[in-house]
Amino acid sequence: MEWRKTGKKLIAALLPPAFWLGAWQLCAFLVDLHVRGRGNELLLPYPATVLSALVRLAGTPAFWGTVLATLGRILAGMVLGTALGGLLAALTFLSPWADRLLSPAIRVIQATPVVSFILLILLWTGRDRVPVVISALMVLPVIWGNLSRGLGETDPQLLEMARAYRFSAFQTVKLIYLPSLRPYFLSAVTTAMGLAWKSGVAAEVLCLPRPSVGTQIYNAKLYLEVPDLFAWTVVVVALSLVLERLLRALLRSRKGGANHE
Amino acid sequence: MSEIRLDHVSFRYGPKEILSDFSLTLPGSGVTVLRGPSGCGKTTLLRLLAGLEYPASGRIAGVSPRETAFLFQENRLLPWRTVEQHLTDVLPRDRRREAEGWLALTELTGEERSYPAALSGGMERRLALARCLALGGTLYLLDEPFAGVDPQRAARIMEGLKRLSVPVLLTSHESNILSLAHRVVDLEGPPLRLLCERKEP
């Protein structure tokens, strides 16, 4: 009975990726058929080709340095954007004037095409800093928006209780606002993580800091090394998903030990 | 403590008049039960005494709102705090040890480390009551403290309330609670009206 259950779970976990890999394989085969062996690799390489490209890249020492450099930039942008977003959420919540002044500006940031920012910031700062700033700029409005909504939706009954029971401002923040914000923060941070990767790597492609995954993607495009392009993309997707999982687990586990005294 | 007096107090929620030129004198000691149909204005009366609402006109004397402990009709517990933390959160650092006594009075001993989600409805009500008692002050205002609490237990807790040195004003419908009170005030409304007052039934 028990092994049957695990077998079922295994199938449920493996079947969807297997299906999509199969679909990829089939499409690559059709492309191959269409160009009659004159290099389907240029258009859509087989999964096996991408895997071998990935293995070849991962074998070089430069690969890990490149991945770490990009990871560092994205994380720095993430931390910066989250901190600023949180700060601005607190500010716009506390002061109506800050809200009137800052809310439209943050909305403008949210609506501005990311490439406009990338090119502008490239002109203003060094190419190494652009991906960090871009990630932070993409993360900030998401964090700010979610936290602002969360602050506004904090249970008024609990806030009235805090007032009637003579909670200090510190207690009200620690015991009511912060725990109430947790689900908003969790959803904001996971959404923001995906955005940070997408925009950060796009900034790298346009600004070519060294070493960086974005520069590698740009080179792969330049030299038509499509399997490499796929391989680097796989790396970015994998990192983004792994980090999102990690973050989720981290924030969840802190809820389990709710007795922060 | 001196008696609590409401002189010609008026209060309205939107167009609805809850208190209209209402006057009442309540003793400054013992346990007084306010009885009346739902929606007659009992809760508003307690909220006015607790300083959570302000009268449109009239005057309230003998109470300082900053020294009252008000039990809300809803439990308003914090899902992320344990039973014990609910009490220590309202107690000053040097009085944290009192938590034990209040938990004993409300018969919650042994549940110190439980979270509200693990408590039954009656236990949650008793926790809300314990927190309010721990907060303390010069007047307890308890809005339906025994809602969902079984009658025998409610009676035992009522005896505990009668031993307190601080006056207690509570609302209830239960006849066994009424029979244990030092005083019963019958009300009707809205607008709130005094029907009769009985001492030591």
Side-chain angles (χ1 to χ4, degrees):
Chain A
M1 256 345 256
E2 206 42 48
W3 65 267
R4 245 189 170 170
K5 237 183 180 172
T6 36
K8 257 188 186 169
K9 257 191 199 161
L10 211 65
I11 288 172
L14 289 180
L15 207 56
F19 171 81
W20 290 113
L21 271 176
W24 178 1
Q25 177 78 26
L26 182 69
C27 289
F29 174 72
L30 290 176
V31 170
D32 200 3
L33 213 61
H34 185 71
V35 300
R36 274 174 291 230
R38 277 175 298 158
N40 70 303
E41 310 286 82
L42 269 183
L43 294 168
L44 182 64
Y46 284 110
T49 318
V50 172
L51 183 69
S52 74
L54 194 58
V55 169
R56 175 172 46 78
L57 288 171
T60 61
F63 173 85
W64 298 102
T66 307
V67 168
L68 273 180
T70 293
L71 183 67
R73 288 192 199 98
I74 304 298
L75 284 182
M78 189 70 197
V79 169
L80 197 67
T82 306
L84 281 175
L87 207 69
L88 286 179
L91 203 65
T92 53
F93 178 68
L94 287 174
S95 150
W97 267 108
D99 188 35
R100 272 173 223 138
L101 209 64
L102 292 170
S103 295
I106 299 171
R107 295 227 168 74
V108 166
I109 292 178
Q110 204 161 16
T112 305
V114 67
V115 277
S116 310
F117 270 129
I118 293 174
L119 297 176
L120 252 183
I121 291 163
L122 179 59
L123 294 177
W124 291 344
T125 69
R127 57 176 61 202
D128 283 318
R129 267 182 240 140
V130 180
V132 179
V133 177
I134 289 298
S135 293
L137 272 179
M138 292 302 109
V139 166
L140 187 152
V142 177
I143 301 282
W144 171 80
N146 270 270
L147 291 187
S148 292
R149 203 156 48 84
L151 283 169
E153 285 172 14
T154 304
D155 188 350
Q157 290 205 334
L158 290 185
L159 293 173
E160 189 188 39
M161 184 276 290
R163 238 176 304 129
Y165 285 19
R166 307 188 264 279
F167 278 24
S168 63
F170 173 74
Q171 267 184 312
T172 307
V173 169
K174 181 189 159 204
L175 300 178
I176 298 185
Y177 279 114
L178 289 182
S180 304
L181 280 179
R182 184 187 291 279
Y184 294 91
F185 186 66
L186 185 70
S187 91
V189 145
T190 46
T191 311
M193 188 56 110
L195 277 176
W197 276 99
K198 268 191 277 221
S199 58
V201 171
E204 286 184 343
V205 170
L206 286 175
C207 303
L208 305 176
R210 266 159 235 273
S212 79
V213 172
T215 306
Q216 297 301 324
I217 288 179
Y218 179 79
N219 288 338
K221 186 217 90 173
L222 206 62
Y223 302 118
L224 293 176
E225 285 163 354
V226 180
D228 281 23
L229 173 62
F230 270 73
W232 284 111
T233 309
V234 167
V235 169
V236 171
V237 170
L239 279 172
S240 174
L241 290 180
V242 165
L243 277 179
E244 197 191 301
R245 278 280 168 86
L246 269 178
L247 214 60
R248 222 179 257 273
L250 198 77
L251 290 169
R252 285 270 158 77
S253 71
R254 287 218 37 222
K255 186 183 185 179
N259 45 336
H260 34 102
E261 185 53 56
Chain B
M1 188 185 161
S2 61
E3 52 183 27
I4 300 153
R5 286 179 42 203
L6 289 97
D7 287 326
H8 308 287
V9 171
S10 295
F11 182 83
R12 49 172 68 230
Y13 265 126
K16 200 170 163 194
E17 214 162 37
I18 313 287
L19 273 73
S20 171
D21 199 27
F22 179 79
S23 296
L24 179 70
T25 304
L26 293 161
S29 66
V31 176
T32 307
V33 175
L34 304 176
R35 179 170 66 171
S38 310
C40 75
K42 302 186 298 285
T43 297
T44 305
L45 177 59
L46 291 187
R47 288 179 64 91
L48 281 163
L49 290 171
L52 294 170
E53 310 286 0
Y54 296 96
S57 62
R59 183 177 107 74
I60 298 170
V63 198
S64 53
R66 294 199 57 80
E67 288 172 12
T68 60
F70 180 68
L71 175 67
F72 293 93
Q73 204 161 39
E74 311 81 17
N75 291 328
R76 307 198 186 187
L77 301 175
L78 304 175
W80 41 82
R81 301 298 273 171
T82 63
V83 166
E84 192 171 32
Q85 284 169 341
H86 273 87
L87 276 72
T88 51
D89 284 344
V90 299
L91 283 165
R93 201 165 282 277
D94 53 316
R95 282 176 46 212
R96 294 257 162 104
R97 306 205 52 178
E98 289 177 22
E100 208 181 313
W102 296 118
L103 287 176
L105 194 152
T106 51
E107 308 192 4
L108 281 169
T109 308
E111 296 291 342
E112 285 84 353
R113 294 182 178 282
S114 304
Y115 285 93
L119 303 179
S120 69
M123 287 162 105
E124 285 187 296
R125 193 63 192 145
R126 283 183 277 136
L127 173 56
L129 173 61
R131 175 177 62 178
C132 174
L133 294 174
L135 173 68
T138 54
L139 173 65
Y140 284 118
L141 301 163
L142 313 178
D143 201 356
E144 305 279 1
F146 304 116
V149 178
D150 62 86
Q152 290 84 18
R153 193 171 257 139
R156 287 199 294 272
I157 296 174
M158 187 69 178
E159 291 298 343
L161 295 182
K162 285 165 77 176
R163 283 195 297 272
L164 300 177
S165 55
V166 177
V168 178
L169 204 56
L170 66 90
T171 65
S172 181
H173 297 285
E174 320 290 330
S175 54
N176 70 321
I177 299 301
L178 295 165
S179 67
L180 289 170
H182 291 128
R183 267 162 235 92
V184 176
V185 175
D186 275 303
L187 298 162
E188 203 185 56
L192 200 64
R193 225 151 32 82
L194 177 67
L195 283 183
C196 68
E197 205 173 335
R198 285 178 287 128
K199 286 180 185 175
E200 310 281 349

